[in-house]
Amino acid sequence: MTASTSARPGVARAPSPRGRPRRRRRLAVGARRPGSVVVLVIATLLVLGPFLWMVSLAFTPEADAFGSASLVPADPTLDNFLRAWSGGALGRAFLNSLLVTTVAVITNCVFATAAGYAFSMLPFRGSSVLFYTLIATVAVPVSVTLIPLFLMAKTFPLAGGNDLAGVGGTGLLDTLGGVVLPYIILPMNIFLAKQFFDAFDKDMAEAARIDGASELRIFVQVYLPLARPLVAVVAIFSFTGVWDDFLWPLVVTSSQDMQTVQLALTRFLGSGNVQYGALMAASVLVTLPVLAVFLFNQRHFISGLADGSVKG
Amino acid sequence: MTSSTVIAGAAVAAAPGRPRRRRRRGSFTGLWFVLPATLVIGVFTLIPVGYGLLLSFTEYSPLSRSGPEFVGLENYAGLLHDPQFRQSIGVTVRYTAQVLPLLVVLALALAVLANKPFRGVGLLRAGLYLPHIVSLTAVSMIWLWLYSRDGLVNEALDLLGLGSQRWLYEPDTALNAVSVMRIWKALGSNMVLLLAGLQAIPQHLYEAARCDGASAWQQFRYVTLPGLRTMLVYVVTMDVIYLSQSFAEIFVLTQGGPLGATTTANFLIYEEAFQANQMGGASAMAFVLFALIAGFSFVSIRAMAGRNR
């Protein structure tokens, strides 16, 4: 997790104040303060503990779930995963979540990035007012838009048996189209994109303009190829944000067929008699895609974070 | 959404002034680029805010044949005397107020420790960050098991001879149990942000302080804390915004019980709107919550950023 490599071209990064730290020095400094290292190790173990038990429990037969405080299951089994996948109808939920996140990732990568680019590189009269209006929507609590969005999904014209006025049917309720509505543009991504392009060189655009290129072509062919780290970050955040969301899918879906993975997890809760083995196996499965996304993109993610802070 | 704001926030905190450019040519080309995003946010966020405000002045059940019925300020007046709503605001405030200070202080302490370079520090940082990556639902599932009758928490207490508890089923302990989980979940992301803030403090300030004979505590108090102020404001404000809207962990762990001891305002709004079908009243609750959150954010930003300007 060290914030070392800047993956952004064109971003002027302030040099690390300490210069590039040498490994020998690092060890020496740490060794001089063993106390802080011990505290940090204990804290990390406390944080990791529950995950280790989650994974352990996922491989433990349901009958042994309690009373065995050992981390390594005596009799490891894949039974929980099978039950989670088939019995819990997790397959369908995965498909639903995958479809919804894919749409959200694509729309955010295209439209949020384009908007951020224009706010940075092609300012127009009133653009900064518009920008701050859009960004301010981040501060609106979910509960404020939840009810109106539900009613809007219900009265969506010509969907789910509705007429042109949105009356008569169920609209987009309990459809994947309804689930995806609030995720199409996540305003924070516009902000990220603007910040990113603000640090870019404007001369390339001028040169391309003199050559007679259209603004769309300048964006797509000159800047977008250089903005791959930005696109990666937007994709990661759209993916994890949508994959993890709970309240909106809970409200807009009603049948098991339309549930997302987070909702599917709660199916194992039952009443009173929770199947912890299957539940933990399902939790592990639901976590894996996000974990994979983070591991494969760690470089972009960390450099995004570092750049944001270094600018201060 | 949490993670995207984490990064962007780092940038927010760091960008005080933006250069203003006037472009002579292509004056409205940019509008085409922002049009799709503007339309989507307008339709799915701005219009709903206005629609919700209108709804909050009505009585409306989606089950009834008739549309919303205008009742003026009746919903808001009713909330003043609604014991359930008052309790839920109390729970929300208590939850936020007990999680926030512990969370920020612990995260700051860990960030200071993890800021020292030594072998393996990256691994420890990654380990501490892990709960942030896992969804609140899945994390709540883990803690549901930890807190269960024969779960790990009770096993550990039994070993120490302290006796077990029904953590999530007693009004006295339920909210505290949820709070502990939430601190555990948010610790890593707070730490990483504060770490980024720490690394942005110029090292020569510490050298100057040491030359003047400042103790470790004085260096922390007069160099680290002022240098971190912008980031602290951001972290605290975002924490308050998220904590005051808690829902998934309440849904999974306690369903608002026992006896409403963990019914946060957001959870009550959900129940009122989608189980009791009282959408007008629920909208009024949402706007009261909105006003409280906005008020607190404003005050905290003023209090923490306003000084020494």
Side-chain angles (χ1 to χ4, degrees):
Chain A
M1 297 284 274
T2 41
S4 53
T5 50
S6 168
R8 292 183 180 183
V11 175
R13 288 196 56 191
S16 164
R18 261 163 282 146
R20 193 161 285 275
R22 278 150 297 172
R23 197 160 277 275
R24 291 274 168 249
R25 275 280 299 283
R26 291 181 154 208
L27 196 64
V29 174
R32 226 185 297 154
R33 298 172 191 269
S36 61
V37 180
V38 170
V39 172
L40 213 53
V41 169
I42 292 174
T44 310
L45 288 179
L46 278 176
V47 164
L48 285 182
F51 286 115
L52 298 178
W53 257 283
M54 169 176 83
V55 175
S56 158
L57 208 59
F59 288 100
T60 307
E62 195 73 64
D64 304 345
F66 288 108
S68 72
S70 82
L71 248 183
V72 184
D75 189 14
T77 170
L78 287 176
D79 201 39
N80 290 324
F81 288 94
L82 293 176
R83 275 193 301 143
W85 190 262
S86 53
L90 215 53
R92 175 72 204 222
F94 259 82
L95 192 67
N96 291 342
S97 279
L98 215 57
L99 282 170
V100 170
T101 44
T102 306
V103 171
V105 165
I106 291 172
T107 51
N108 275 282
C109 283
V110 174
F111 296 118
T113 308
Y117 172 82
F119 281 128
S120 174
M121 310 283 265
L122 301 166
F124 48 89
R125 191 183 299 251
S127 67
S128 96
V129 173
L130 182 61
F131 174 73
Y132 285 105
T133 309
L134 296 186
I135 298 310
T137 60
V138 174
V140 177
V142 188
S143 53
V144 165
T145 51
L146 191 68
I147 300 163
L149 268 177
F150 171 84
L151 294 175
M152 284 164 72
K154 187 179 178 227
T155 55
F156 207 89
L158 300 177
N162 278 351
D163 58 20
L164 198 62
V167 187
T170 53
L172 291 176
L173 294 185
D174 208 30
T175 66
L176 293 182
V179 177
V180 86
L181 287 184
Y183 309 136
I184 296 173
I185 309 277
L186 304 171
M188 261 304 173
N189 287 330
I190 301 177
F191 181 85
L192 269 178
K194 180 181 180 293
Q195 289 287 109
F196 184 87
F197 287 114
D198 272 349
F200 257 55
D201 198 355
K202 312 290 185 281
D203 295 346
M204 282 184 295
E206 287 300 340
R209 260 178 222 123
I210 291 166
D211 289 346
S214 71
E215 292 298 337
L216 185 63
R217 198 165 159 196
I218 295 172
F219 171 56
V220 173
Q221 292 194 339
V222 179
Y223 285 97
L224 215 49
L226 296 172
R228 276 170 61 184
L230 169 75
V231 175
V233 169
V234 168
I236 297 170
F237 294 147
S238 311
F239 183 90
T240 55
V242 175
W243 185 269
D244 287 353
D245 198 22
F246 184 82
L247 183 50
W248 174 246
L250 175 72
V251 163
V252 80
T253 65
S254 50
S255 73
Q256 193 164 305
D257 277 354
M258 292 299 151
Q259 285 185 339
T260 58
V261 282
Q262 306 298 334
L263 291 180
L265 277 186
T266 62
R267 259 187 247 143
F268 298 92
L269 291 175
S271 51
N273 186 25
V274 185
Q275 305 169 22
Y276 283 103
L279 181 56
M280 291 303 137
S283 298
V284 169
L285 289 175
V286 165
T287 302
L288 284 180
V290 182
L291 200 62
V293 165
F294 263 91
L295 289 180
F296 285 125
N297 294 286
Q298 207 195 32
R299 195 169 56 98
H300 293 315
F301 164 67
I302 293 300
S303 74
L305 191 103
D307 284 342
S309 64
V310 163
K311 275 183 213 146
Chain B
M1 250 175 255
T2 328
S3 39
S4 77
T5 43
V6 162
I7 304 304
V12 175
R18 69 219 104 66
R20 203 169 276 258
R21 283 175 306 274
R22 286 256 174 264
R23 189 174 290 284
R24 256 168 284 148
R25 49 163 297 175
S27 53
F28 275 95
T29 329
L31 205 55
W32 293 108
F33 283 71
V34 305
L35 200 63
T38 308
L39 282 178
V40 169
I41 292 179
V43 171
F44 296 120
T45 307
L46 292 175
I47 290 179
V49 172
Y51 187 10
L53 190 61
L54 286 180
L55 273 176
S56 76
F57 299 119
T58 68
E59 201 174 296
Y60 177 54
S61 162
L63 300 181
S64 73
R65 288 261 153 234
S66 59
E69 182 195 341
F70 185 77
V71 293
L73 288 170
E74 209 172 273
N75 288 329
Y76 290 95
L79 290 182
L80 285 175
H81 309 290
D82 181 352
Q84 254 195 319
F85 184 64
R86 276 157 71 169
Q87 188 189 12
S88 80
I89 291 290
V91 168
T92 308
V93 169
R94 202 188 123 195
Y95 183 64
T96 309
Q98 68 187 21
V99 170
L100 186 71
L102 269 169
L103 179 60
V104 174
V105 168
L106 285 175
L108 183 57
L110 288 176
V112 169
L113 294 182
N115 195 26
K116 301 205 174 70
F118 58 89
R119 185 176 293 177
V121 72
L123 227 80
L124 293 181
R125 286 178 197 164
L128 288 167
Y129 194 75
L130 190 62
H132 179 70
I133 296 172
V134 181
S135 73
L136 202 48
T137 328
V139 155
S140 301
M141 297 296 172
I142 304 173
W143 283 80
L144 192 66
W145 175 73
L146 289 177
Y147 281 135
S148 63
R149 196 159 42 91
D150 303 307
L152 211 60
V153 172
N154 281 331
E155 295 270 317
L157 288 176
D158 274 347
L159 274 178
L160 296 169
L162 288 171
S164 51
Q165 283 271 348
R166 298 168 74 241
W167 297 104
L168 297 168
Y169 298 95
E170 300 290 343
D172 294 342
T173 53
L175 194 65
N176 295 339
V178 180
S179 302
V180 169
M181 186 221 79
R182 190 61 190 248
I183 292 170
W184 174 86
K185 156 97 175 141
L187 199 55
S189 58
N190 275 266
M191 181 200 74
V192 167
L193 281 172
L194 293 172
L195 196 58
L198 284 178
Q199 288 176 346
I201 299 174
Q203 206 61 22
H204 65 79
L205 292 181
Y206 288 102
E207 279 152 27
R210 272 196 294 273
C211 285
D212 293 344
S215 66
W217 167 250
Q218 283 170 326
Q219 286 177 39
F220 178 77
R221 172 67 188 81
Y222 295 106
V223 180
T224 308
L225 275 186
L228 264 186
R229 189 189 295 130
T230 340
M231 190 57 95
L232 273 172
V233 172
Y234 171 72
V235 166
V236 167
T237 311
M238 280 301 158
D239 280 344
V240 168
I241 288 175
Y242 290 129
L243 288 169
S244 55
Q245 297 187 58
S246 301
F247 183 83
E249 72 265 48
I250 304 292
F251 186 93
V252 171
L253 288 174
T254 63
Q255 287 278 327
L259 300 172
T262 60
T263 301
T264 55
N266 226 6
F267 194 80
L268 186 67
I269 292 166
Y270 163 78
E271 283 191 323
E272 189 77 0
F274 297 101
Q275 266 145 37
N277 287 306
Q278 296 297 325
M279 298 210 159
S283 293
M285 289 182 184
F287 275 91
V288 172
L289 183 65
F290 190 5
L292 289 176
I293 294 173
F296 185 91
S297 307
F298 184 72
V299 169
S300 76
I301 291 171
R302 279 292 292 273
M304 292 176 75
R307 275 181 306 152
N308 302 352
R309 276 277 158 91

